[in-house]
């Protein structure tokens, strides 16, 4: 039996090691295990006193995940993503980092530049939606699915 579905608990070290060995000016690496992409971005923005702008159209959400989230009333940006991480580095190094991730990361073919640091309210993450409307990402209110592993 073979499956094309990738594990959600992929080994991240090969990709992280490749990024570090490339001598990129990495400001932050953060896995998405607890709280998903939104929580990671909000925590980084808050602790670094920065603002971020992210483009919803650049965030890869598999169709099965989007469908399950819709059925359960969850936001895919707030769902834990084991085996995935974000890297924050200068814009001039983004292309090189993407090349490395596409070669070394599990699911690396979907690696993407999803946003940028922006001036504005420190700790704020703004999302530009698929239709171009900007909204502020907040922490989820209520409970998400509990971890089962």
């Amino acid at each position: 039996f073979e499956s094309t579905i990738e594990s959600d608990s992929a080994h991240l070290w090969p990709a992280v090691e490749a990024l570090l060995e490339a001598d990129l000016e990495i400001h932050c690496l953060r896995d998405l295990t607890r709280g998903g992409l939104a929580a990671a971005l909000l925590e980084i923005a808050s602790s670094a006193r920065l603002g971020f702008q992210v483009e919803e159209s650049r965030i890869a959400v598999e169709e099965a995940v989007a469908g399950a989230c819709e059925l359960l009333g969850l936001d895919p940006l707030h769902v834990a993503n084991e085996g995935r991480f974000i890297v924050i580095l200068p814009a001039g190094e983004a292309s090189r980092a993407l090349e490395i991730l596409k070669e070394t990361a599990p699911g690396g073919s979907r690696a993407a530049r999803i946003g940028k640091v922006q001036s504005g309210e420190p700790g704020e993450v703004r999302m530009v939606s698929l239709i171009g409307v900007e909204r502020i990402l907040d922490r989820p209110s209520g409970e998400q699915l509990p971890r089962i592993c």
Side-chain angles (χ1 to χ4, degrees):
F1 175 74
E2 289 186 38
S3 173
T4 57
I5 298 173
E6 296 179 36
S7 169
D8 71 343
S9 58
H11 184 49
L12 298 177
W13 177 243
V16 170
E17 181 179 37
L19 288 170
L20 294 173
E21 288 179 351
D23 201 30
L24 297 170
E25 186 184 336
I26 296 173
H27 295 197
C28 183
L29 288 166
R30 171 74 158 67
D31 80 316
L32 305 180
T33 303
R34 301 279 185 209
L37 178 62
L41 290 170
L42 286 162
E43 288 170 9
I44 295 166
S46 178
S47 64
R49 296 187 177 138
L50 297 171
F52 293 127
Q53 180 185 51
V54 293
E55 301 281 335
E56 185 176 19
S57 64
R58 295 183 180 188
I59 300 170
V61 178
E62 292 184 20
E63 189 175 327
V65 172
C69 285
E70 186 174 332
L71 284 172
L72 297 170
L74 300 172
D75 183 339
L77 300 179
H78 293 286
V79 175
N81 268 286
E82 292 189 22
R84 301 291 180 258
F85 68 101
I86 57 174
V87 58
I88 297 173
L89 59 138
E93 295 190 343
S95 294
R96 178 71 181 125
L98 283 172
E99 288 174 21
I100 292 167
L101 292 172
K102 288 179 186 296
E103 294 170 6
T104 61
S109 63
R110 293 175 299 196
R113 184 177 179 181
I114 64 166
K116 61 185 178 182
V117 175
Q118 69 171 15
S119 60
E121 195 65 33
E124 189 173 82
V125 178
R126 292 183 172 269
M127 169 80 73
V128 178
S129 74
L130 297 173
I131 60 170
V133 176
E134 192 172 88
R135 69 179 171 102
I136 296 173
L137 283 184
D138 287 322
R139 296 190 189 282
S141 60
E143 292 294 319
Q144 292 287 307
L145 291 175
R147 287 181 48 90
I148 57 172
C149 57

